[in-house]
Amino acid sequence: MNHSEIMIIGGGPAGMVAAGTCRQYYPEKKITVIKKDEKSLVPCGIPYVFGPYLESPEDDMIPCGNRAAKMGVELIHDEVVEIDFDNKVARGRNGSRYGYEKLIIATGSIPKKPTSIENYDADGVFYVPKDPDYILRMHSRVKAMEHVAVIGTGFIGVEIAGELARSGKKVDLVGSRILKHAFDPEFSEQMESIMLHDNITFHKEKKTTRIRVDDEGRAGGIELHDGTLIPCDGVIMATGYVPNTEMAKKSGLSMRRYDTIYVDEYMRTTESDVFAVGDCAEKRHFITKRTVPIMLASTATAEARIAAANLYNINIIKTFSGTIDIFSTVVGNTCFASAGITEEDARKEFITIESSTIVSDDKHPSKLPNNHKQTVKLVALKRSGTVIGAQIIGGIDAGEMINILAVIIENKMSVFDLLNLQVATHPLLTSAPTAYPIVQAAQNLVAKRIGEL
Amino acid sequence: MNHSEIMIIGGGPAGMVAAGTCRQYYPEKKITVIKKDEKSLVPCGIPYVFGPYLESPEDDMIPCGNRAAKMGVELIHDEVVEIDFDNKVARGRNGSRYGYEKLIIATGSIPKKPTSIENYDADGVFYVPKDPDYILRMHSRVKAMEHVAVIGTGFIGVEIAGELARSGKKVDLVGSRILKHAFDPEFSEQMESIMLHDNITFHKEKKTTRIRVDDEGRAGGIELHDGTLIPCDGVIMATGYVPNTEMAKKSGLSMRRYDTIYVDEYMRTTESDVFAVGDCAEKRHFITKRTVPIMLASTATAEARIAAANLYNINIIKTFSGTIDIFSTVVGNTCFASAGITEEDARKEFITIESSTIVSDDKHPSKLPNNHKQTVKLVALKRSGTVIGAQIIGGIDAGEMINILAVIIENKMSVFDLLNLQVATHPLLTSAPTAYPIVQAAQNLVAKRIGEL
């Protein structure tokens, strides 16, 4: 039996960061990572293997073997099918047995299949798993297609649709409004108008009911609930992900909503010496405190670092009291980014809020080259002024600007605090100090008499 | 006599933000701004009027009249030469008298002249004041020159040298190491090597002793302390700024070190109903608590907002307990940014610190287009792990990334807190979540056993 002091199941971002962090903190321990595939894809890079930027999925792959060897971590290619928590032994697909002292489960997530769509699993219908071999096969078939239907308007659907269109394919995108969980309607509309310029036909607020298949059972079109028929060469289903937790559940771990593994603030499960991190572990929302199906590599890696730090003793407290949903993406040449709760979702959750939106430039004076309009929306609690959400449309730098808001939200800063914000501004890099939009939006909220009882 | 409820002396960033903020909070009050020039230059944009990006200084000008009119603020072109605080009346250059109920002094700063350099004020020697007429005249003369000597290696000197070189001029730059107050030596060296590629001859750690003048008294070269003679068509002195506070001092305001006006946390001076904000007001350092000669438009505007909010009653507490020096600039196509104290300055001030530097990519996978190396250095207190400084070299987005660090420093977050940082990452916008350099540098500091007593 292979025995490790620290064993990690899963080699995605959470698993590999857990391994690296453990190596840094516990230089003498034997650390093993058990993962299914020899290579790993950079998960958020997958949409870009379908576009002009990367030549092939190989460009999006991480040589896990090299990385593990460099870290001094043993890498085993196997799939754990059951864990005996009492005896601290995991069993692999072919019967191999792996003993552990401390176990971190990081089995990630897998595509959710929309079983209500007829022929959802036909030939020519593709999902977007983080499985290198699947993506390689899918890539070579999609490459040969001229017309692709993409179902789902979350990040993966929108990004793949954009990349396929950029590669010259005809694309039909079907779903609700664009990125509705991360953005308010007025932001979605701006994305939608950019996507139209990119030659994507968008079927907004439409439901797919059936995949049309030919005599050989191959997908050749999709049917919408209003009867519209869209012929196409293939279908990509970007219909979300579910935690990959069947094995954990079968082995007896205590579970929570959305098939997530129960974890406490230190990422400990109900079994002693067993931790869970990343998409497979429960996430609670920083405001509503509800269990939420948010899956983010950045959150996953933060959890991995917390688990690693507290594996043997409690050393470092998790400072965030809930998951902040933080996203960024690029549509055309414009960056859309969001942190925390949207105005729409806040109202749905009966949170008493006020919002303000500022449009400025991201260079000053605005005649400098590469100036991009910059829109910042702040959402704050009406009584306390605490910032709980933000959305940005801007140039490439909005991708880091949203992280300023992430830290602001994490520190429970109020719009009053933001009036004082000390920031660096520069003509070629940011908006003017007199008009810095985060501060300006905060000031508008203060002027709206936010916080007055 | 012209009488205002709120009177602001100075129309730079601090003065105009004070006016706009007062208008927002006190819609009924009569607000007047007294300023010398009809137009204003965007101060940090001045170096760029000497480069290829902007056609002329006009492109860097703000039509203050329009802006004031739009805000409903009266704009008077005059220079206040004395204030009678007892009778609450200011006197203009031609004897006009201006009464006020509340006064905000925002007179800014003016170039410091290096009187130890012989002929420092000769014809053909230019300074860089925020004076539109001066800059217009200077611009037309500098434009005709082929070879310019720039003295001073702070932001203005480095940026002007870069822009002149980009415009095809031969440039000699003289001073200490590049941007030594904002960056550690290894960062300066990277800037220096980029500047060399840009055809700037850099005379490092050299002192200018004399401006050579011809028979008509016109500058034709500079002499260094080691005897080197550099012929040139003109000289630009970027030798720093001093607060423009002679009038305030003469009128009897209590002053502090570096000729700054004493202010408390609400920006109140020693005279009742008189506030001072921006470069003319005292700044204390957030760590050393010493009075420091830091001049930043972003700090100035934050102070203006605080003064405006607390003009009649205390409403909003200044949340920052000292000025954080935050800078960003672009050298070649690389952004250099800094927040808080450098390692070198920390050691000079006997602050017990530890530092860590991480190099990563700002896209992931790194094969994506426009990938730029990203270097992040964190400086933290060795005992508590509190982050007190950061430096970044990267692409354009480093200009906003440094503001994440600014908020981290302002919130007194520790490297332990940073392990938990929830950030948005995206292939086309940021480094990988597994390698996000702020978090990775924090983790290295934790692994270095920072915080252990």
Side-chain angles (χ1 to χ4, degrees):
Chain A
M1 187 175 73
N2 184 309
H3 191 275
S4 317
E5 283 160 303
I6 301 171
M7 188 165 94
I8 297 157
I9 303 177
M16 292 311 279
V17 166
T21 309
C22 286
R23 175 48 70 232
Q24 221 171 356
Y25 293 152
Y26 317 110
E28 307 299 329
K29 301 276 183 195
K30 184 186 169 192
I31 302 172
T32 304
V33 173
I34 303 182
K35 73 188 293 284
K36 260 200 294 196
D37 310 299
E38 292 228 0
K39 292 189 171 182
S40 278
L41 286 159
V42 176
C44 19
I46 296 175
Y48 298 96
V49 312
F50 296 101
Y53 291 149
L54 299 178
E55 273 181 39
S56 87
E58 297 285 349
D59 284 345
D60 190 49
M61 284 186 196
I62 307 161
C64 293
N66 300 351
R67 251 177 80 186
K70 234 169 99 183
M71 289 196 289
V73 165
E74 190 184 358
L75 196 66
I76 294 174
H77 297 296
D78 198 350
E79 185 183 359
V80 170
V81 293
E82 190 158 23
I83 306 167
D84 172 353
F85 295 114
D86 295 332
N87 295 303
K88 298 182 133 182
V89 176
R91 189 164 53 79
R93 177 147 305 281
N94 300 314
S96 302
R97 297 172 74 239
Y98 307 101
Y100 63 84
E101 195 176 284
K102 299 284 179 180
L103 173 64
I104 301 176
I105 300 175
T107 47
S109 56
I110 50 177
K112 179 161 67 183
K113 299 202 171 175
T115 50
S116 65
I117 299 176
E118 203 179 319
N119 301 321
Y120 69 92
D121 230 355
D123 184 34
V125 176
F126 298 97
Y127 291 83
V128 192
K130 287 154 271 187
D131 172 337
D133 294 332
Y134 183 99
I135 296 292
L136 272 170
R137 288 193 308 271
M138 171 183 177
H139 178 260
S140 72
R141 282 191 57 189
V142 170
K143 214 174 148 179
M145 295 175 184
E146 282 173 15
H147 185 176
V148 182
V150 177
I151 299 174
T153 44
F155 284 92
I156 300 296
V158 167
E159 290 173 351
I160 288 186
E163 291 307 296
L164 292 174
R166 229 195 270 258
S167 306
K169 296 187 198 304
K170 190 165 153 48
V171 178
D172 281 84
L173 177 64
V174 185
S176 55
R177 69 174 170 82
I178 299 278
L179 304 181
K180 75 168 176 182
H181 294 300
F183 295 96
D184 280 316
E186 73 274 20
F187 279 66
S188 292
E189 277 160 27
Q190 291 211 37
M191 284 182 221
E192 287 157 15
S193 71
I194 296 175
M195 297 199 85
L196 288 182
H197 288 291
D198 286 351
N199 293 319
I200 297 168
T201 307
F202 179 36
H203 306 270
K204 188 171 176 173
E205 303 296 356
K206 295 283 165 70
K207 272 203 181 109
T208 309
T209 50
R210 199 162 84 93
I211 310 294
R212 282 238 183 162
V213 293
D214 62 16
D215 293 347
E216 279 105 56
R218 244 192 103 165
I222 61 172
E223 268 178 44
L224 308 186
H225 67 118
D226 61 3
T228 310
L229 173 70
I230 303 161
C232 62
D233 304 323
V235 180
I236 295 178
M237 292 281 198
T239 43
Y241 293 83
V242 289
N244 180 23
T245 51
E246 216 179 297
M247 180 277 293
K249 196 174 174 178
K250 204 179 83 182
S251 303
L253 274 190
S254 182
M255 305 296 290
R256 298 297 287 259
R257 213 181 155 186
Y258 303 115
D259 288 322
T260 54
I261 299 169
Y262 164 85
V263 284
D264 65 16
E265 293 279 296
Y266 299 102
M267 313 312 297
R268 295 178 298 201
T269 68
T270 41
E271 293 292 334
S272 55
D273 301 320
V274 180
F275 296 72
V277 297
D279 289 355
C280 65
E282 186 189 6
K283 309 272 171 283
R284 295 180 202 86
H285 192 267
F286 76 111
I287 291 284
T288 65
K289 305 296 178 191
R290 292 189 206 277
T291 296
V292 281
I294 295 174
M295 293 178 183
L296 281 167
S298 52
T299 307
T301 55
E303 291 175 352
R305 290 177 210 272
I306 288 301
N310 299 308
L311 214 49
Y312 289 89
N313 303 292
I314 289 181
N315 288 302
I316 291 168
I317 289 174
K318 185 161 126 189
T319 44
F320 59 90
S321 63
T323 300
I324 302 175
D325 21 359
I326 315 174
F327 305 101
S328 52
T329 191
V330 179
V331 183
N333 290 310
T334 300
C335 170
F336 287 81
S338 168
I341 202 159
T342 60
E343 178 166 7
E344 186 176 86
D345 281 355
R347 296 200 190 280
K348 271 189 204 152
E349 289 279 359
F350 304 103
I351 303 170
T352 311
I353 55 121
E354 188 67 81
S355 79
S356 173
T357 301
I358 287 287
V359 181
S360 65
D361 296 286
D362 72 355
K363 308 277 181 292
H364 69 282
S366 57
K367 284 182 181 154
L368 283 169
N370 305 317
N371 181 45
H372 199 293
K373 280 282 162 214
Q374 192 171 63
T375 304
V376 173
K377 178 174 186 171
L378 286 189
V379 178
L381 291 179
K382 197 179 168 73
R383 300 299 288 275
S384 65
T386 314
V387 179
I388 60 169
Q391 292 159 62
I392 307 179
I393 307 175
I396 291 308
D397 58 346
E400 290 295 356
M401 199 174 182
I402 198 66
N403 292 331
I404 305 171
L405 272 310
V407 178
I408 286 168
I409 293 171
E410 198 157 309
N411 281 288
K412 300 187 177 59
M413 291 175 83
S414 78
V415 291
F416 304 104
D417 301 329
L418 297 195
L419 297 182
N420 290 269
L421 213 59
Q422 301 193 76
V423 287
T425 56
H426 187 277
L428 295 172
L429 298 169
T430 68
S431 71
T434 49
Y436 195 70
I438 296 176
V439 177
Q440 204 59 53
Q443 185 166 314
N444 280 3
L445 287 168
V446 171
K448 277 187 186 179
R449 306 199 157 270
I450 203 169
E452 282 195 7
L453 299 182
Chain B
M1 186 173 75
N2 184 311
H3 191 276
S4 317
E5 283 161 303
I6 301 171
M7 187 165 94
I8 298 156
I9 303 177
M16 293 310 279
V17 166
T21 309
C22 287
R23 176 46 73 229
Q24 221 170 355
Y25 292 152
Y26 317 112
E28 306 300 328
K29 301 279 184 194
K30 183 186 171 194
I31 303 172
T32 303
V33 173
I34 303 182
K35 72 187 295 283
K36 260 200 294 197
D37 310 299
E38 292 227 2
K39 293 191 171 180
S40 278
L41 287 158
V42 175
C44 19
I46 296 175
Y48 298 96
V49 312
F50 296 101
Y53 290 148
L54 299 178
E55 273 180 37
S56 86
E58 296 286 350
D59 283 347
D60 189 49
M61 284 187 195
I62 306 160
C64 292
N66 300 350
R67 252 176 79 185
K70 233 170 100 182
M71 289 196 289
V73 166
E74 190 185 358
L75 197 65
I76 293 174
H77 297 296
D78 198 350
E79 184 183 359
V80 170
V81 293
E82 192 157 23
I83 306 166
D84 172 353
F85 295 113
D86 295 333
N87 294 304
K88 297 181 134 183
V89 176
R91 187 164 54 79
R93 176 146 308 281
N94 300 314
S96 303
R97 296 172 74 239
Y98 307 102
Y100 64 83
E101 196 176 284
K102 299 283 179 181
L103 174 64
I104 301 176
I105 300 175
T107 47
S109 55
I110 51 177
K112 179 161 68 184
K113 298 202 171 176
T115 49
S116 65
I117 299 176
E118 204 178 319
N119 301 321
Y120 69 91
D121 230 355
D123 184 34
V125 176
F126 297 96
Y127 290 84
V128 192
K130 286 154 271 187
D131 172 337
D133 294 332
Y134 183 99
I135 296 291
L136 271 170
R137 288 194 306 271
M138 171 183 177
H139 179 260
S140 71
R141 283 190 57 190
V142 170
K143 217 174 146 179
M145 295 175 184
E146 282 173 14
H147 185 178
V148 182
V150 177
I151 299 175
T153 43
F155 283 92
I156 299 297
V158 167
E159 289 174 351
I160 288 187
E163 290 307 295
L164 291 174
R166 230 194 269 260
S167 305
K169 296 187 198 305
K170 190 165 151 53
V171 178
D172 281 85
L173 177 65
V174 184
S176 55
R177 69 174 170 84
I178 299 279
L179 304 182
K180 75 168 176 182
H181 294 298
F183 294 97
D184 280 316
E186 73 274 21
F187 279 67
S188 293
E189 278 160 26
Q190 291 211 37
M191 285 183 221
E192 287 157 14
S193 71
I194 296 174
M195 296 200 84
L196 288 181
H197 288 292
D198 286 351
N199 292 319
I200 296 169
T201 307
F202 178 37
H203 306 270
K204 188 171 176 172
E205 303 295 357
K206 294 282 164 69
K207 273 203 181 109
T208 309
T209 50
R210 198 160 86 94
I211 310 295
R212 282 239 182 160
V213 293
D214 62 16
D215 293 347
E216 279 105 58
R218 243 193 103 166
I222 60 172
E223 270 178 42
L224 309 187
H225 69 117
D226 61 3
T228 310
L229 174 70
I230 303 163
C232 62
D233 304 323
V235 180
I236 295 178
M237 291 280 197
T239 42
Y241 293 82
V242 289
N244 180 23
T245 51
E246 217 178 296
M247 180 277 294
K249 195 174 174 178
K250 204 178 85 183
S251 302
L253 274 189
S254 182
M255 305 296 289
R256 296 298 287 260
R257 210 179 157 187
Y258 303 114
D259 288 322
T260 54
I261 300 169
Y262 164 84
V263 285
D264 65 16
E265 293 279 296
Y266 299 102
M267 312 313 298
R268 295 177 298 201
T269 68
T270 41
E271 294 292 334
S272 55
D273 300 320
V274 180
F275 297 71
V277 297
D279 289 355
C280 65
E282 187 189 5
K283 309 274 171 282
R284 295 180 202 87
H285 191 268
F286 76 110
I287 292 284
T288 66
K289 304 296 178 190
R290 293 188 206 278
T291 296
V292 281
I294 295 174
M295 293 178 183
L296 281 168
S298 53
T299 306
T301 54
E303 292 176 352
R305 291 176 210 272
I306 288 302
N310 299 308
L311 214 50
Y312 290 89
N313 303 292
I314 289 181
N315 288 302
I316 291 169
I317 290 175
K318 184 161 127 190
T319 45
F320 58 91
S321 63
T323 300
I324 302 175
D325 22 358
I326 314 176
F327 306 101
S328 52
T329 191
V330 179
V331 184
N333 290 310
T334 300
C335 170
F336 287 80
S338 169
I341 202 159
T342 60
E343 179 167 4
E344 186 176 84
D345 281 354
R347 295 199 191 280
K348 271 188 203 152
E349 289 279 359
F350 303 103
I351 304 170
T352 310
I353 56 123
E354 187 68 79
S355 80
S356 173
T357 302
I358 287 287
V359 181
S360 65
D361 296 286
D362 73 355
K363 309 276 181 293
H364 68 284
S366 56
K367 283 182 182 153
L368 283 169
N370 305 318
N371 181 45
H372 199 293
K373 280 283 161 211
Q374 193 171 61
T375 304
V376 173
K377 178 174 186 172
L378 287 189
V379 177
L381 290 179
K382 196 178 168 74
R383 300 299 288 275
S384 64
T386 314
V387 179
I388 59 168
Q391 293 160 63
I392 307 179
I393 307 175
I396 290 308
D397 58 345
E400 290 295 357
M401 198 175 183
I402 199 65
N403 292 330
I404 306 171
L405 271 312
V407 179
I408 287 168
I409 293 171
E410 198 157 310
N411 282 287
K412 300 187 177 60
M413 292 176 82
S414 77
V415 291
F416 304 104
D417 301 329
L418 297 196
L419 298 182
N420 290 271
L421 213 58
Q422 302 193 75
V423 287
T425 56
H426 187 276
L428 296 172
L429 297 169
T430 69
S431 69
T434 50
Y436 194 70
I438 296 175
V439 177
Q440 204 60 52
Q443 185 166 314
N444 279 2
L445 287 169
V446 170
K448 276 187 185 179
R449 307 200 156 269
I450 204 170
E452 282 196 7
L453 300 180

